[in-house]
Amino acid sequence: MPPIPGSGLAKGLAVTLRTMTKRAHTAQYPETQPELPPRSRGVIGLFEENCTVCMLCARECPDWCIYIDSHKETVPAATPGGRERSRNVLDRFAIDFSLCMYCGICIEVCPFDALFWSPEFEYAETDIHELTHERDKLREWMWTVPAPPALDPAAEEPKEIAAARKAVDKAEAAAAAAAAAAAAAQAQTQAADTPPATPPTTPEADA
């Protein structure tokens, strides 16, 4: 059946009339902040303690917008007769957000969970050179990263949390045992330093 002439125009006008009768929902930014989805890609936060300077993020970045500098330090042996080891110390970690295309590859390839998405998006600058943010600013954004979704109540506890809790319990038990041993040693020292008590004398004993 051929379309009725003017039916398309009538549908368009109907949509226009329906929209005109509804109240506009315009958020007046920046007075009203937008409600961003939980997995929105704003900026990249750096958890510096987890970074081992493996350079995977910089090598895999398609735009080569991650700049990392480091140096090596010698770590003394943990046990007598052990071997000294060397480790990388992070000197600089910067991201040029004027080049970043927010692909998230650096976050995905990081093997030590040092990079995270933050929903922060208000970091515009008047000079493009100021869009290269150093590790101090990236660390500030780290604290705006939303918490991960809660696990199923019936799910097993993550191995990382279980291992961390076990380590804390072990350290607390060792500290309690050391404190008890120190208290026992102090009690023994005090008992050894205290002179023995002499029995009281009576007149009959003196006679």
Side-chain angles (χ1 to χ4, degrees), residues 36-120:
L36 301 175
R39 298 183 65 186
S40 58
R41 298 185 175 187
V43 292
I44 299 172
L46 170 67
F47 192 54
E48 187 176 334
E49 286 75 7
N50 285 357
C51 182
T52 61
V53 200
C54 65
M55 304 295 291
L56 274 177
C57 54
R59 286 200 298 264
E60 298 295 331
C61 177
D63 294 333
W64 292 83
C65 64
I66 300 177
Y67 311 115
I68 301 175
D69 292 330
S70 65
H71 69 276
K72 287 187 178 293
E73 286 186 357
T74 302
V75 180
T79 57
R83 186 182 63 179
E84 294 183 347
R85 298 182 179 274
S86 62
R87 66 184 181 94
N88 290 322
V89 178
L90 185 66
D91 292 330
R92 185 195 184 200
F93 194 109
I95 299 179
D96 187 354
F97 285 98
S98 65
L99 297 176
C100 178
M101 64 180 185
Y102 305 90
C103 63
I105 293 178
C106 57
I107 297 175
E108 294 177 3
V109 301
C110 179
F112 302 104
D113 292 334
L115 299 174
F116 297 86
W117 278 118
S118 167
E120 293 293 322

Side-chain angles (χ1 to χ4, degrees), residues 121-154:
F121 63 93
E122 297 175 315
Y123 56 95
E125 301 289 348
T126 55
D127 187 355
I128 192 172
H129 297 94
E130 296 179 359
L131 283 174
T132 301
H133 294 289
E134 301 292 334
R135 64 177 182 176
D136 294 336
K137 188 63 176 180
L138 301 180
R139 186 180 181 85
E140 290 180 11
W141 283 327
M142 179 62 208
W143 311 125
T144 63
V145 174
L151 298 175
D152 189 340

Side-chain angles (χ1 to χ4, degrees), residues 148-161:
L151 298 175
D152 189 340
E156 295 182 0
E157 187 178 41
K159 295 181 180 179
E160 294 83 359
I161 297 178

Side-chain angles (χ1 to χ4, degrees), residues 94 177 186:
Q186 185 177 5

